């Protein structure tokens, strides 16, 4: 009996690190600003068939409507209430999406904005996505309800009421981030309102949460809220399953608050990942891919089993948040595909792929003056994600997750899941290769000259389709073929001017 008690305790304490993905699915996609009806369709027509594990969705709760600038994407990070009612859709559409995605084994993770409400500069009676009245001047949010007693005004010690110094952990938590009215999360009443919102979503069937602005919440307050959460809905999850938690904490070092304070609550976003990998792929500051031999904790990243990793996110792809100019995005497509391919092939962390929309980027004095532009829309109504005959997206949706090179690397990660990092090779410059046990192998050429090498792949002999230049279709390769000999070795030739200067093969791309 004691043994089983111990097991259940262990099960309880690691559960919030477990994304509860369907067996063998290992990567999630952030369908940023998508509507619920489109996500439901995408789960059935694309994400399940291609082995995606889940979707991070934009905040589903009611938010302020901002007209200046016109309907910025960031209005959704200014809650007005916890009613499921936003530009992505209403509660019925949200429920339908969760049902349909879960039914094909694709999980839903909600972006929970629970540190604050709207900006202190918002106007009383300004409109909101569900019509709820609010008055920021007296902290009146009847849609929850919250009143002046539920905010940190009295607790914050800075003159402005806002965060003025990131070297002071207390003000980072107790003062306003960018003027956003900061909730008093030490109060049981506020914790209960937040937990009620999250439990409503859990009961609908979501698998977990991204906790927005976690750096600005005390770890203990987050834990108190998590302890109030229900187990996941047993219609899709085993009895006693705890919601998966990943906390947004931007920690590039040098601040009073660090990621490891949050490890007890769940996983944490590792922003060093995209910032450093972007520098390596761009060969800035003398960085080169051969240095990636000890990528992961060896580079000062957090423990792999606590890390939520990504090349870019919705903030830093447009200069918000952190990561700076080194961040690779769809705007840098060729290097971006290599970086995402490297992330999905490497065993470190739990991986998230970004899926964006086009906006008219316009740099003036080094800043994108259009960084606020919201999703494709008709007079504020978010446009449908149309699908072209070639399986790309229309209506200005970028759909990186549908790019062959990225889609196929999601499958690669599934095939090699659990296999050790192996057979590293490099040319002491920017040509590198590594395998995952006897299930997969990938080769990069990021130098300005051709790669021509015979390498130990670790794979069984046979002919393999390169899943970067093409697909395996009806037992044949539409792209490059790779011949692995009985000794596990294969010859690779990659021109430095190739459209995609990297090759990936795995057990399921063998013909
Ligand atoms: C302005 C002034 C303030 C003033 C305030 C008065 O700048 O000085 O006090 O008005 O109301 C928007 C505007 C911002 C405005 C603010 C409040 O851009 O100018 O302040 O609203 O009105 C997103 C955007 C922000 C946006 C915010 C709320 O990035 O620009 O602010 O949504 O709409 C840190 C945090 C990290 C955070 C990152 C961006 O540690 O947690 O900054 N990342 C998350 C989300 C991010 C979101 C928030 C947090 C806030 O990923 O998308 O910010 O929820 O690093
Ligand atoms: Ca706070």
């Amino acid at each position: 009996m004691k043994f089983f008690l111990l097991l259940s305790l262990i099960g309880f304490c690691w559960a919030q690190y477990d994304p509860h993905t369907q067996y063998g699915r290992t990567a999630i996609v952030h369908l940023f600003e998508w509507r619920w009806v489109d996500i439901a369709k995408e789960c059935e027509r694309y994400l399940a068939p291609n082995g995606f594990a889940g979707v991070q969705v934009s905040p589903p709760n009611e938010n302020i409507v901002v007209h200046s600038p016109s309907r910025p994407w960031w209005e959704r990070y200014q809650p007005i209430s916890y009613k499921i009612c936003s530009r992505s859709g209403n509660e019925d559409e949200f429920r339908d999406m969760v049902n349909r995605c879960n039914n094909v084994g694709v999980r839903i993770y909600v972006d929970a904005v629970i540190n604050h409400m709207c900006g202190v500069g918002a106007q009383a009676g300004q409109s909101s996505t569900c019509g709820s009245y609010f008055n920021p001047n007296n902290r009146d949010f009847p849609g929850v309800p919250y009143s002046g007693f539920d905010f940190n005004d009295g607790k914050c010690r800075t003159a402005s009421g806002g965060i003025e110094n990131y070297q002071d952990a207390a003000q980072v938590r107790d003062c306003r981030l960018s003027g956003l009215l900061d909730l008093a999360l030490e109060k049981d009443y506020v914790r209960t309102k937040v937990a009620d919102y999250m439990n409503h979503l859990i009961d609908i069937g979501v698998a977990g949460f991204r906790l927005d602005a976690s750096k600005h919440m005390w770890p203990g307050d987050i834990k108190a809220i998590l302890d109030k959460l229900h187990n996941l809905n047993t219609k899709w999850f085993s009895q006693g399953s705890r919601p998966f938690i990943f906390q947004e904490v931007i920690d590039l070092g040098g601040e009073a608050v660090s990621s490891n304070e949050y490890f007890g609550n769940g996983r944490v976003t590792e922003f060093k990942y995209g910032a450093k990998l972007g520098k390596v792929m761009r060969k800035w500051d003398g960085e080169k891919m051969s240095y990636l031999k000890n990528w992961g904790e060896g580079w000062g990243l957090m423990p792999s089993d606590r890390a939520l990793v990504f090349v870019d996110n919705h903030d830093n792809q447009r200069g918000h948040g952190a990561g700076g100019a080194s961040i690779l995005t769809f705007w840098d497509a060729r290097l971006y595909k290599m970086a995402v391919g490297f992330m999905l092939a490497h065993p470190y962390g739990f991986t998230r792929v970004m899926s964006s929309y086009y906006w008219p980027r316009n740099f003036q004095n080094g800043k994108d003056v259009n960084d606020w532009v919201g999703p494709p829309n008709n007079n504020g109504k978010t446009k449908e994600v149309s699908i072209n005959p070639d399986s790309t997206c229309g209506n200005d949706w970028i759909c990186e997750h549908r790019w062959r090179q990225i889609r196929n690397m999601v499958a690669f990660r599934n095939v090699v899941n659990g296999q050790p990092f192996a057979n590293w090779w490099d040319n002491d410059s920017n040509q590198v290769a590594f395998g995952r046990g006897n299930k997969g192998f990938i080769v990069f050429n990021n130098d300005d000259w051709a790669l021509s090498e015979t390498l130990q792949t670790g794979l069984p002999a046979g002919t393999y389709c390169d899943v970067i230049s093409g697909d395996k279709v009806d037992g044949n390769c539409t792209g490059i073929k790779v011949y692995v000999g009985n000794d596990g070795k294969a010859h690779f030739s990659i021109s430095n001017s190739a459209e995609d200067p990297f090759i990936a093969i795995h057990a399921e791309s063998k013909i």
Side-chain angles (χ1 to χ4, degrees):
M1 183 53 192
K2 272 189 183 151
F3 173 71
F4 289 108
L5 187 62
L6 178 66
L7 262 191
S8 66
L9 271 178
I10 291 171
F12 179 77
C13 67
W14 59 246
Q16 70 269 47
Y17 307 105
D18 176 356
H20 302 295
T21 57
Q22 179 159 301
Y23 181 73
R25 293 183 180 174
T26 58
I28 65 174
V29 56
H30 181 194
L31 295 180
F32 181 54
E33 284 287 0
W34 281 42
R35 300 176 313 149
W36 312 142
V37 293
D38 288 323
I39 295 177
K41 284 189 269 188
E42 191 74 347
C43 283
E44 294 166 342
R45 70 193 172 199
Y46 192 83
L47 298 177
N50 286 289
F52 284 77
V55 180
Q56 175 184 319
V57 303
S58 287
N61 60 292
E62 179 175 25
N63 60 264
I64 195 170
V65 171
V66 173
H67 288 299
S68 171
S70 174
R71 307 308 306 273
W73 58 269
W74 43 255
E75 68 171 42
R76 295 185 73 160
Y77 289 89
Q78 297 195 37
I80 296 300
S81 80
Y82 299 130
K83 295 172 191 162
I84 310 301
C85 179
S86 68
R87 275 209 283 184
S88 287
N90 61 33
E91 177 154 345
D92 288 344
E93 291 162 328
F94 185 88
R95 285 175 179 275
D96 187 50
M97 166 188 71
V98 173
N99 282 329
R100 290 165 61 185
C101 292
N102 270 330
N103 286 343
V104 292
V106 178
R107 305 303 179 213
I108 297 294
Y109 306 99
V110 168
D111 194 347
V113 184
I114 59 173
N115 169 67
H116 53 265
M117 300 302 277
C118 69
V120 69
Q123 301 309 314
Q126 193 170 332
S127 55
S128 53
T129 49
C130 222
S132 297
Y133 171 78
F134 64 97
N135 180 352
N137 303 318
N138 59 7
R139 315 301 188 246
D140 186 15
F141 293 87
V144 179
Y146 283 144
S147 73
F149 296 108
D150 305 317
F151 292 87
N152 275 334
D153 300 286
K155 203 172 175 195
C156 171
R157 288 276 166 272
T158 66
S160 66
I163 298 171
E164 297 168 359
N165 175 3
Y166 274 77
Q167 298 308 322
D168 173 358
Q171 68 178 268
V172 171
R173 274 70 174 259
D174 297 336
C175 299
R176 291 194 287 267
L177 163 66
S178 300
L180 297 162
L181 292 171
D182 207 52
L183 284 167
L185 293 171
E186 84 283 359
K187 286 185 64 177
D188 191 60
Y189 173 80
V190 178
R191 290 172 175 179
T192 303
K193 283 298 172 191
V194 168
D196 288 349
Y197 164 51
M198 297 172 77
N199 280 327
H200 180 198
L201 296 166
I202 286 169
D203 295 347
I204 289 174
V206 309
F209 300 91
R210 169 195 184 261
L211 300 188
D212 178 69
S214 291
K215 180 193 281 187
H216 307 282
M217 301 187 277
W218 292 97
D221 289 345
I222 292 176
K223 178 167 181 350
I225 291 166
L226 299 183
D227 287 347
K228 291 175 180 283
L229 298 188
H230 297 166
N231 292 333
L232 298 185
N233 188 320
T234 51
K235 184 173 177 186
W236 295 286
F237 303 98
S238 56
Q239 184 77 34
S241 296
R242 300 299 293 155
F244 176 53
I245 297 297
F246 54 105
Q247 300 155 100
E248 188 229 3
V249 178
I250 299 181
D251 175 6
L252 297 178
E255 289 184 18
V257 174
S258 44
S259 299
N260 58 28
E261 297 175 63
Y262 295 84
F263 289 169
N265 291 332
R267 284 189 184 253
V268 181
T269 52
E270 178 52 279
F271 278 84
K272 293 175 187 167
Y273 195 99
K276 291 173 183 280
L277 189 56
K279 272 200 187 135
V280 170
M281 302 312 292
R282 295 171 187 275
K283 307 182 205 173
W284 284 359
D285 304 345
E287 293 290 3
K288 51 187 182 180
M289 286 195 81
S290 53
Y291 291 156
L292 294 173
K293 184 173 187 174
N294 65 338
W295 181 247
E297 293 89 340
W299 274 62
L301 305 186
M302 68 177 75
S304 177
D305 64 2
R306 292 291 177 271
L308 188 284
V309 298
F310 44 96
V311 172
D312 65 325
N313 80 337
H314 72 279
D315 279 329
N316 63 24
Q317 71 170 190
R318 50 176 47 78
H320 283 232
S326 75
I327 296 297
L328 289 168
T329 75
F330 69 89
W331 293 100
D332 323 289
R334 190 166 182 265
L335 283 181
Y336 185 67
K337 286 177 278 183
M338 294 169 80
V340 175
F342 182 89
M343 174 183 78
L344 291 167
H346 197 280
Y348 180 86
F350 183 70
T351 52
R352 180 182 66 195
V353 169
M354 181 70 201
S355 189
S356 319
Y357 57 76
Y358 170 83
W359 77 91
R361 207 166 60 158
N362 177 3
F363 285 108
Q364 289 178 14
N365 306 322
K367 184 176 180 324
D368 174 10
V369 296
N370 285 334
D371 65 350
W372 56 271
V373 171
N377 68 90
N378 291 312
N379 300 322
K381 190 172 179 335
T382 302
K383 282 185 182 176
E384 174 195 22
V385 180
S386 56
I387 306 297
N388 299 320
D390 68 355
S391 86
T392 59
C393 294
N395 279 345
D396 280 336
W397 297 96
I398 303 296
C399 287
E400 297 96 318
H401 69 290
R402 280 177 165 260
W403 295 3
R404 179 191 66 249
Q405 302 85 345
I406 294 178
R407 177 237 301 154
N408 284 350
M409 283 309 295
V410 166
F412 180 108
R413 189 173 193 78
N414 292 342
V415 171
V416 306
N417 188 28
Q419 292 290 316
F421 183 71
N423 296 309
W424 174 270
W425 167 85
D426 66 63
N427 70 340
D428 200 24
S429 181
N430 290 282
Q431 296 177 359
V432 303
F434 63 91
R436 295 289 303 276
N438 63 359
K439 294 287 187 189
F441 192 72
I442 192 165
V443 189
F444 293 89
N445 180 12
N446 199 20
D447 272 328
D448 300 332
W449 59 90
L451 175 151
S452 175
E453 296 288 342
T454 298
L455 301 170
Q456 176 50 252
T457 67
L459 299 185
T463 303
Y464 293 76
C465 297
D466 167 32
V467 296
I468 302 304
S469 57
D471 293 294
K472 182 174 100 173
V473 178
D474 301 333
N476 212 332
C477 304
T478 61
I480 294 167
K481 284 191 177 84
V482 176
Y483 305 95
V484 175
N486 291 325
D487 59 359
K489 291 185 178 180
H491 186 78
F492 295 89
S493 292
I494 305 177
S495 160
N496 57 294
S497 59
E499 178 189 347
D500 294 304
F502 63 121
I503 288 177
I505 56 177
H506 59 71
E508 290 178 15
S509 79
K510 188 166 180 282
I511 57 176

